[in-house]
């Protein structure tokens, strides 16, 4: 609770700032047209020379600059915002409040986070001198001490067993003088036997806390510098659309263009996406294990674009295809998304970064659905309970359930539909009524769905049930010996498809074959016609190919395949 002198100071500060250039800039950020740009430019030039008195004020200026960079009125205003962001780390007020601004993601400030394995490995590779362990985490130190011996030589492991050194002290005794403690630990995990999944599991179970110090030169990731230089820039003369869109009308309107990105541009946008997560204490699997060969740039016009990014073949899901999405306004990341695609169904996650909320989030969401419709053929969309607020306080606080419900998403669960109808009636009787947290939690227990054609709702494929049934079939075939079971199902699938060998398949395509076999051999493959066998082989090869977009297209071209999987999973009996 604030003490009396702190309260007086806060009230005084609020009174002063209400008429300050900073407050004026914040009020004018959504003003466009004649005179607006000149006013904002004058305020920026004044603020460039002003030393702000609090960490909160520094943050407010930074967010206003990021917004103007994403929504510039003209070249002069854009150049001024870019210049101020490029030099933000050198501001005297930022240096004075550096500790209070930690974890803000601003240039020149440190980030403390328990980075996931993919993120930590990327940071250690790109900025080894800036990443270290956060030694204030005593619980992590105990886990590190237990995890170290299997990563070392027998002599080292025996010494640690005898000395019982704490984790951080043990690393300090063993690492080189030019190597940080975090990099030493991560490199030892990377050298473990096994595959990427076992190493990721080991790293995430250590669950170490890290500190990413601001880097010199090009610097570590920051929101201040986040920008994709190859994106088109469009200057505005009117505010971005805030009205709630008609999703079906939006999906009928195709993006301006869709192109596969070069590997170089793909790598650049992947780094930008990973940095957007790091600087906001978030993680997205599709970004951590992204494949620059499967990156697509969707230019939606008016400065809005989406980078759709596939994952490395070895990280792909068995049946579904998942793509990360980075939302860009004039090259500035304003949000992210992920879509898990099975045929025409896409399971979604969507987020607009806080700086850019309250403007065009609903419109942008509609345009993202249009991108999925025209790039992948998606026509049926869903949100899982977590995205709506189940065990997710941020989604509850942001009103995620009603955001999507008011756009046309509906529950299929009868009890949830009844609960929502009752709440809508209360809102109609009292426009000031707002759903309480308890009710939102109840609503968020079930999925929300949206179908392009509401008269023909699409049945999602229950992937978890497919996986469990495949596991039960493997046990019936080979007990706990999964290796033998997979080998036998792979050989059986070869026979059914009229093949004797996987000659001509790439290593990734061979792995896709082994993964698919555990599921497909539960189907009645003996009844397939010749063209269906050929199509099935091509489908599996596409799963391990360069882009999963080809795999999605082949799936859509063979509807019999999804129908067979639905029957195999028992989905018809589901509510």
């Amino acid at each position: 609770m604030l003490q009396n002198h702190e309260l007086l100071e806060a009230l005084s500060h609020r009174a002063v700032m209400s008429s300050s250039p900073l407050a004026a800039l914040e009020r004018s950020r959504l003003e466009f047209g004649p005179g607006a740009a000149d006013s904002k430019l004058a305020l920026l030039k004044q603020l460039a020379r002003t030393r702000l008195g609090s960490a909160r004020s520094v943050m407010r200026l930074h967010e206003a600059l990021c917004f103007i960079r994403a929504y510039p009125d003209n070249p002069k205003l854009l150049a001024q915002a870019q210049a101020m962001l490029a030099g933000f780390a050198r501001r005297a007020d930022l240096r004075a409040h550096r500790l209070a601004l930690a974890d803000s993601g601003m240039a020149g400030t440190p980030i403390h986070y328990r980075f996931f394995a993919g993120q930590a490995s990327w940071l250690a590779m790109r900025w080894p001198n800036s990443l270290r362990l956060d030694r204030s985490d005593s619980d992590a130190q105990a886990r590190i001490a237990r995890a170290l011996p299997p990563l070392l030589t027998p002599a080292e492991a025996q010494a640690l067993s005898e000395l019982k050194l704490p984790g951080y002290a043990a690393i300090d005794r063993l690492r080189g003088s030019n190597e940080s403690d975090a990099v030493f630990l991560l490199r030892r995990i990377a050298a473990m036997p096994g595959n990427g999944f076992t190493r990721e599991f080991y790293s995430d179970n250590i669950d170490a806390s890290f500190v990413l110090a601001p880097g010199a030169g090009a610097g570590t990731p920051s929101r201040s510098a986040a920008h994709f230089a190859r994106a088109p820039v469009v200057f505005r003369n009117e505010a971005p659309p805030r009205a709630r869109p008609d999703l079906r009308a939006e999906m009928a309107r195709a993006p301006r263009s869709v192109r596969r990105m070069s590997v170089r541009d793909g790598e650049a946008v992947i780094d930008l996406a990973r940095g957007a997560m790091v600087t906001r204490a978030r993680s997205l699997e599709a970004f951590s294990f992204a494949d620059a060969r499967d990156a697509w740039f969707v230019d939606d016009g008016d400065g809005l674009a989406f980078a759709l990014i596939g994952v490395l073949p070895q990280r792909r899901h068995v049946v579904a295809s998942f793509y990360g999405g980075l939302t860009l306004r004039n090259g500035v990341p304003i949000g992210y998304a992920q879509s898990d695609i099975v045929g025409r169904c896409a399971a979604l996650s969507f987020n607009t970064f806080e700086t850019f909320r309250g403007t065009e989030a609903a419109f942008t969401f509609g345009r993202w659905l249009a991108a999925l419709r025209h790039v992948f053929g998606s026509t049926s969309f869903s949100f899982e309970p977590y995205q709506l607020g189940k065990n997710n306080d941020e989604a509850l606080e942001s009103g995620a359930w009603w955001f999507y419900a008011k756009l046309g998403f509906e529950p299929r669960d009868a009890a949830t539909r009844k609960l929502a109808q009752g709440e809508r009636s209360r809102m109609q009787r009292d426009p000031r009524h707002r759903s309480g947290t308890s009710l939102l939690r109840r609503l968020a227990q079930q999925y929300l769905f949206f179908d392009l054609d509401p008269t023909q709702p699409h049945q999602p494929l229950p992937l978890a049930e497919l996986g469990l049934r495949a596991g039960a079939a493997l046990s019936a075939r080979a007990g706990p010996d999964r290796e033998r079971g997979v080998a036998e199902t792979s050989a059986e699938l070869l026979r059914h498809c009229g093949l004797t060998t996987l000659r001509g398949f790439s290593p990734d395509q061979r792995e896709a074959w082994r993964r698919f076999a555990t599921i497909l051999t539960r189907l009645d493959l003996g009844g397939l016609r010749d063209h269906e066998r050929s199509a099935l082989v091509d489908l599996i090869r596409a799963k391990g190919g360069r882009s999963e977009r080809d795999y999605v297209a082949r799936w859509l071209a063979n509807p019999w395949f999804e129908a067979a999987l639905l029957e195999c999973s028992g989905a018809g009996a589901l509510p």
Side-chain angles (χ1 to χ4, degrees):
M1 180 176 294
L2 289 174
Q3 300 298 317
N4 287 339
H5 70 280
E6 293 176 316
L7 180 59
L8 290 173
E9 182 181 351
L11 292 173
S12 174
H13 174 71
R14 184 178 302 171
V16 170
M17 293 305 294
S18 64
S19 58
S20 71
L22 179 56
L25 180 67
E26 290 175 320
R27 288 194 300 271
S28 67
R29 70 189 185 109
L30 288 176
E31 295 175 4
F32 296 86
D38 291 340
S39 174
K40 283 186 268 190
L41 182 60
L43 289 169
L44 286 187
K45 289 181 176 180
Q46 183 177 352
L47 288 163
R49 302 186 300 269
T50 302
R51 179 167 178 167
L52 300 172
S54 70
R56 173 169 166 73
S57 296
V58 175
M59 172 67 84
R60 289 167 59 197
L61 174 59
H62 183 271
E63 300 312 282
L65 288 169
C66 290
F67 189 90
I68 291 171
R69 190 178 194 185
Y71 298 91
D73 301 60
N74 59 35
K76 287 185 178 180
L77 190 61
L78 176 60
Q80 180 67 29
Q82 287 176 326
M84 291 177 68
L85 285 168
F88 212 83
R90 298 190 296 273
R91 286 184 63 99
D93 44 18
L94 181 138
R95 295 197 301 271
H97 299 288
R98 192 187 307 275
L99 290 179
L101 293 169
D103 306 325
S104 66
M106 290 191 290
T109 63
I111 296 172
H112 304 75
Y113 188 53
R114 290 153 69 175
F115 295 116
F116 290 86
Q119 289 178 306
S121 297
W122 174 66
L123 293 170
M125 179 180 65
R126 293 292 300 275
W127 297 278
N129 296 326
S130 297
L131 187 68
R132 59 180 175 81
L133 295 172
D134 184 351
R135 300 197 174 202
S136 66
D137 189 343
S138 57
D139 292 336
Q141 172 165 241
R143 293 191 294 271
I144 290 170
R146 292 192 297 269
L148 268 178
L151 305 177
L152 304 170
T153 64
E156 292 171 306
Q158 185 174 350
L160 294 184
S161 176
E162 181 178 336
L163 296 174
K164 303 292 191 294
L165 291 175
Y168 301 133
I171 288 179
D172 287 342
R173 289 291 302 272
L174 298 172
R175 66 187 173 99
S177 59
N178 295 324
E179 187 175 49
S180 80
D181 49 8
V183 172
F184 175 84
L185 177 62
L186 292 169
R187 286 179 176 169
R188 291 314 310 149
I189 294 173
M192 285 180 62
N195 57 29
F197 294 98
T198 57
R199 289 187 281 270
E200 179 188 1
F201 180 82
Y202 201 85
S203 180
D204 285 344
N205 271 275
I206 295 175
D207 198 18
S209 295
F210 297 90
V211 179
L212 182 66
T220 49
S222 76
R223 297 195 294 111
S224 313
H227 181 256
F228 182 55
R230 298 293 298 275
V233 175
V234 175
F235 299 106
R236 308 194 66 83
N237 54 22
E238 61 182 9
R242 301 184 68 176
R244 192 174 296 135
D246 180 332
L247 294 185
R248 293 184 176 87
E250 291 299 333
M251 281 189 277
R253 182 166 63 90
R256 173 182 290 178
S257 65
V258 178
R259 63 176 174 86
R260 186 197 292 272
M261 303 177 75
S262 68
V263 172
R264 182 177 180 180
D265 282 352
E267 290 172 346
V269 83
I270 288 168
D271 281 350
L272 185 64
R274 290 170 175 170
M277 298 292 100
V278 164
T279 55
R280 291 174 173 85
R282 297 173 183 270
S283 177
L284 197 70
E285 183 183 8
F287 293 159
S288 292
F289 302 104
D291 188 350
R293 304 175 308 158
D294 193 10
W296 303 81
F297 192 83
V298 181
D299 182 355
D300 201 57
D302 196 32
L304 177 65
F306 303 95
L308 301 178
I309 308 166
V311 296
L312 296 165
Q314 59 269 30
R315 304 296 308 201
R316 293 173 183 170
H317 293 174
V318 178
V319 175
S321 303
F322 70 107
Y323 278 77
L326 188 66
T327 309
L328 301 168
R329 261 291 178 193
N330 291 313
V332 177
I334 66 169
Y336 69 95
Q338 181 168 306
S339 52
D340 292 37
I341 301 167
V342 180
R344 297 194 179 278
C345 294
L348 309 175
S349 62
F350 178 81
N351 188 284
T352 297
F353 296 140
E354 186 174 2
T355 306
F356 308 99
R357 292 175 187 169
T359 52
E360 57 172 354
F363 170 79
T364 303
F365 176 71
R367 297 312 303 153
W368 180 52
L369 293 193
L372 296 178
R373 169 76 180 90
H374 290 276
V375 175
F376 300 108
S378 304
T379 61
S380 183
F381 307 91
S382 65
F383 280 99
E384 67 174 356
Y386 176 81
Q387 300 296 330
L388 304 170
K390 183 177 181 179
N391 302 320
N392 183 347
D393 290 340
E394 182 184 0
L396 288 176
E397 292 167 5
S398 67
W401 199 94
W402 282 113
F403 176 85
Y404 299 117
K406 289 178 179 180
L407 286 171
F409 279 75
E410 296 182 345
R412 292 179 181 172
D413 173 72
T416 307
R417 290 175 68 92
K418 183 177 180 180
L419 184 64
Q421 288 168 357
E423 190 67 355
R424 287 184 189 275
S425 297
R426 282 186 284 273
M427 290 177 175
Q428 291 172 353
R429 292 193 300 269
D430 180 6
R432 296 171 299 176
H433 176 76
R434 295 294 180 269
S435 301
T437 301
S438 176
L439 185 134
L440 288 173
R441 283 199 177 96
R442 291 170 63 193
L443 289 171
Q445 298 302 304
Q446 301 293 332
Y447 282 70
L448 282 179
F449 296 90
F450 181 92
D451 288 280
L452 185 60
D453 183 353
T455 66
Q456 296 184 5
H458 204 86
Q459 172 68 56
L461 191 63
L463 299 178
E465 183 64 23
L466 271 178
L468 291 176
R469 293 191 179 198
L474 285 173
S475 292
R477 177 189 293 266
D481 189 349
R482 287 302 192 261
E483 292 74 19
R484 179 166 69 88
V486 170
E488 290 180 1
T489 56
S490 179
E492 184 178 327
L493 183 59
L494 276 174
R495 292 192 298 273
H496 281 299
C497 290
L499 301 178
T500 58
T501 177
L502 293 178
R503 182 177 301 163
F505 282 54
S506 70
D508 291 328
Q509 290 171 331
R510 290 170 182 264
E511 179 60 24
W513 185 276
R514 285 188 289 270
R515 293 180 183 184
F516 248 124
T518 62
I519 292 174
L520 295 182
T521 51
R522 298 193 63 251
L523 303 181
D524 180 17
L525 298 176
L528 294 182
R529 290 168 288 186
D530 288 345
H531 75 276
E532 290 174 333
R533 291 191 183 91
S534 178
L536 182 56
V537 172
D538 290 342
L539 176 77
I540 299 173
R541 294 190 73 164
K543 185 65 173 175
R546 178 179 177 182
S547 172
E548 283 205 272
R549 188 182 180 190
D550 300 332
Y551 165 75
V552 174
R554 291 183 182 278
W555 182 295
L556 293 178
N558 293 276
W560 61 268
F561 179 63
E562 182 172 349
L565 286 178
L566 278 168
E567 183 178 354
C568 172
S569 68
L574 295 176

